[in-house]
Each structure stands twice: as C-alpha cells, then as structure tokens.
C-alpha cells in the first residue's frame, strides 16, 4: 500500500490516514498482545509508511506507553513518529486529584507519560474524557502552558460533548491559546451519532476527527453472528458489561453486518477492509485508529485504503446504517429548510470553490549531473 499524509485539523502536523492504536500493547487487562506481537505490529505499520501512534496513560496500566516509547527509540524514529497520548483516568484509588481534567492532574499526568514514553515532548496531547467538572478555561490554559514550555506540540479532545468542544475552541480563539487540532471520537457504520454535531464542528472550526473503534469493537469484522455458538472474541466477554462502548449486539447492528457482508463479497475485500474504507472516507475524518491483537489482522487492515467503494455500494451501506435524526436536527433537512430559502436552490459555496491541496509527483533535481 502507499500511505498518504494530511494535516491534522488546521495545524501543520502531517499524519497518516491510518493510525496505529496501541491500547492492545500488553496483556494486563486479560486480552491484548504480548511484547513480541506488539513489536511485530509496530514494525509492520512503520514499514507500511505509517507515522501516527495513539496511546494513553490508562492503557494496560502504562505498558502501552512504555512499549511504544521503547519501540520508537529502538528504531530511532522519534523525529518521524507522531505520538498522541491522553490524560484523565485515575490510576491511584483514593486520590481524586490523580484523575480528571484539572490543572493539578494534567501537570502530574504529562510528566508521567513523558517518562514512560522516554521522550521530552508529546506531539498530540488529548483530554481523554469529559469529567463534567473542570471548566474548559482551566483545561485550555493548562494545555497552552504545556505547549509554551515545549512539553506538548498540539492538543485535542476525546469523548466530550459537542458544546464543550465548541466552547473550548472558542476560548482558544478568543484568548490566543493553542487551538484544538483533533477530536478523538467513536465512529463506524454501527455508530454514526457524531455526524450531527462533531463533523460540522470539526470541519468548520479546524479540528480533524480521529476515529476510534471503526470496526465497532470487532462487530464489523464478521466474526460475530446473532446465533453464534462459543466465544468468538472480546465482545462475547462483554455481553453482560455495563460499559456503553461494548453494547453492540442489536437488531439494527445485525442488519448492518449482513449488508456489509454482501457488499464486501461484491467488492472482493474483507468486511473489515470495507468498513474501514467507508469510515476513513467520510466527511471530517482525518485519521482512523487501527487496533489489533494479531499481526495478520493489522496487515489486512493496512490494505483498507487500496480500493474505492462505488457509489451504489456506498449508498447501500449508508442506507442500512442510517438512523432518524434526533431533534433539533430533524428540522435541518431540506424538508423544512426549503421554507427558509423560499424554494430557491441555495448553498454555501459552488462545487470546486475551494479545491483541496494535494502535493504529489517527482521532486525536482538539484544536481548538475
């Protein structure tokens, strides 16, 4: 495959369209990859041209950050690698200030992550999840300070309400703080809620979407079936969990799986490759995080952008995965908006108004020979 790179949000940071998720680096949580497998996946990703690595201080009790830092150092890739990590989660029971998004915890967490990663700066530092308490002003000022002292290059938000992300970006613009360059959010054929708020926010206000769980925790890989016998993978182990991220078995999702299987067969690609291709080519998406526990899984998924989904097949996937727009978004479709425009065709900008900037081709020679 040929990896391509695009700037993240309104920043100048070039990242590959497929990122390597390292939540599976380590087996402390009862699943994941051992060190040799993790290294093999890291090597395969780098050799495919990937440069964007996603981790968090929470993942596998710190093993993910530690191994990632060691793998990067062993290959001398620190200048080439774009490392994203996250803070928020608490790993010290009984200490409320060892978690959350307050200044005290951010300052503690960033130093701990830098130590585990074995580096003196983080390329992209993200708030992991909204804590419902800390004002956006405090978060943005603290992150801007970290950029100012060189510990962090760019900042982002993961798993926050759209209103909070919008307020944070407005604060950054108003006060001259480092802006939000990335929004890390769940998105897949089985989970399309971000299309209503986050995609317009990101595209209009300079934050690229980093997709997590593009295969809906493995549901869209095809290994799970409604009448399945036995344990096919991680989702089976979470059938009785209260974690909202693993509630994937539903009639709607089984219908999506069935149609995805048909489309994949017509294209001659795996279900996972088609699902990844669909999400990577949706509006607002900057990069898609690939997570795997086996080298063969990663190698197959790295080929997911080597083809295009024809319009008619994409329409079928869009149709089976669509859901009614929630209020007030149900009022923003053409059915009501034409009452605003008086029935006259009205748009934002004409097609081709702002053609994309793509740099490609052969470099000029500077040799006189």
């Amino acid at each position: 495959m040929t990896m391509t790179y695009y700037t993240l949000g309104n920043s100048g940071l070039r990242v590959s369209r497929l990122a390597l998720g390292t939540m599976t680096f380590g087996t402390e949580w009862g699943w994941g990859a051992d060190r040799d497998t993790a290294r093999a996946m890291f090597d395969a990703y780098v050799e495919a041209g990937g440069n964007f690595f996603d981790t968090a201080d929470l993942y596998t009790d710190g093993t993910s950050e530690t191994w990632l830092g060691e793998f990067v150092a062993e290959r001398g890739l620190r200048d080439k690698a774009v490392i994203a990590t996250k803070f928020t989660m608490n790993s010290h029971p009984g200490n409320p200030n060892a978690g959350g998004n307050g200044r005290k915890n951010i300052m503690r967490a960033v130093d701990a992550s830098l130590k585990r990663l074995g580096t003196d700066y983080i390329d992209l530092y993200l708030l992991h999840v909204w804590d419902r308490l800390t004002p956006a002003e405090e978060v943005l000022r603290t992150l801007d300070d970290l950029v100012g002292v060189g510990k962090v290059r760019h900042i982002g938000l993961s798993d926050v309400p759209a209103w909070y992300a919008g307020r944070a970006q407005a604060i950054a613009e108003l006060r001259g703080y480092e802006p939000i360059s990335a929004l890390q959010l769940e998105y897949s054929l089985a989970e399309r809620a971000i299309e209503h708020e986050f995609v317009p926010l990101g595209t209009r206000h300079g934050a690229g979407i980093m997709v997590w769980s593009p295969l809906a925790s493995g549901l869209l890989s095809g290994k799970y079936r409604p009448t399945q016998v036995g344990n096919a993978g991680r989702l089976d182990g979470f059938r009785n969990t209260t974690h909202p991220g693993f509630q994937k078995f539903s009639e709607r999702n089984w219908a999506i799986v069935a149609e995805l299987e048909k489309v994949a067969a017509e294209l001659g690609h795996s279900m996972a490759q088609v699902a990844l291709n669909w999400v990577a080519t949706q509006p607002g998406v900057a990069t898609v995080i690939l997570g795997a526990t086996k080298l063969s899984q990663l190698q197959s998924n790295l080929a997911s952008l080597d083809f295009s989904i024809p319009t008619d097949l994409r329409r079928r996937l869009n149709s089976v995965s669509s859901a009614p727009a929630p209020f007030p978004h149900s009022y923003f479709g053409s059915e009501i908006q034409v009452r605003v425009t008086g029935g006259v065709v009205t748009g934002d900008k004409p097609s081709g108004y702002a053609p994309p900037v793509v740099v490609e081709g052969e470099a000029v020679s500077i040799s006189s020979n």
Side-chain angles (χ1 to χ4, degrees), residues 46-168:
V46 171
E47 287 158 12
N51 75 337
F52 199 13
F53 304 89
D54 179 77
T55 184
D57 57 1
L58 164 76
Y59 293 164
T60 52
D61 303 330
T63 295
S64 173
E65 284 187 326
T66 300
W67 287 3
L68 175 60
E70 291 173 353
F71 297 163
V72 168
E74 288 169 2
R75 293 191 57 153
L77 295 176
R78 187 62 194 95
D79 285 342
K80 181 178 180 179
V82 177
I83 297 176
T85 192
K86 300 179 282 291
F87 64 89
T88 297
M89 300 302 182
N90 195 316
S91 59
H92 300 283
N95 180 4
N97 284 312
N101 302 323
R103 187 179 185 90
K104 182 176 178 66
N105 182 55
I106 295 175
M107 301 300 281
R108 176 205 64 79
V110 71
D111 286 337
S113 287
L114 288 169
K115 182 177 181 180
R116 282 189 293 269
L117 288 164
T119 184
D120 57 3
Y121 71 95
I122 295 165
D123 295 288
L124 178 66
Y125 201 37
L126 300 109
L127 176 154
H128 203 156
V129 66
W130 184 44
D131 67 6
R132 301 176 60 187
L133 295 169
T134 309
E137 291 87 346
E138 181 175 343
V139 175
L140 267 293
R141 174 59 190 271
T142 304
L143 292 176
D144 186 68
D145 286 346
L146 293 180
V147 172
V149 298
K151 292 185 178 182
V152 170
R153 299 291 190 259
H154 301 275
I155 64 173
L157 302 173
S158 173
D159 302 336
V160 300
W163 69 261
Y164 187 90
R167 176 166 177 77

Side-chain angles (χ1 to χ4, degrees), residues 1 18-21 25 37-38 40-46 276 290-304:
M1 66 168 294
L18 299 175
L20 180 62
F25 282 20
T37 303
M41 291 193 293
F42 174 90
D43 289 339
Y45 175 72
V46 171
L276 289 168
L290 303 180
T293 57
K294 299 177 181 178
L295 177 60
S296 58
Q297 291 175 334
L298 179 66
Q299 290 173 326
S300 177
N301 291 345
L302 283 170
S304 61

Side-chain angles (χ1 to χ4, degrees), residues 236-263:
D236 281 315
F238 286 108
R239 282 181 183 269
N240 299 316
T241 184
T242 58
H243 194 303
F246 297 111
Q247 305 297 316
K248 303 300 184 186
F249 297 143
S250 68
E251 290 303 313
R252 171 181 175 272
N253 285 352
W254 292 131
I256 294 171
V257 169
E259 187 64 23
L260 174 61
E261 184 174 24
K262 296 175 184 177
V263 169

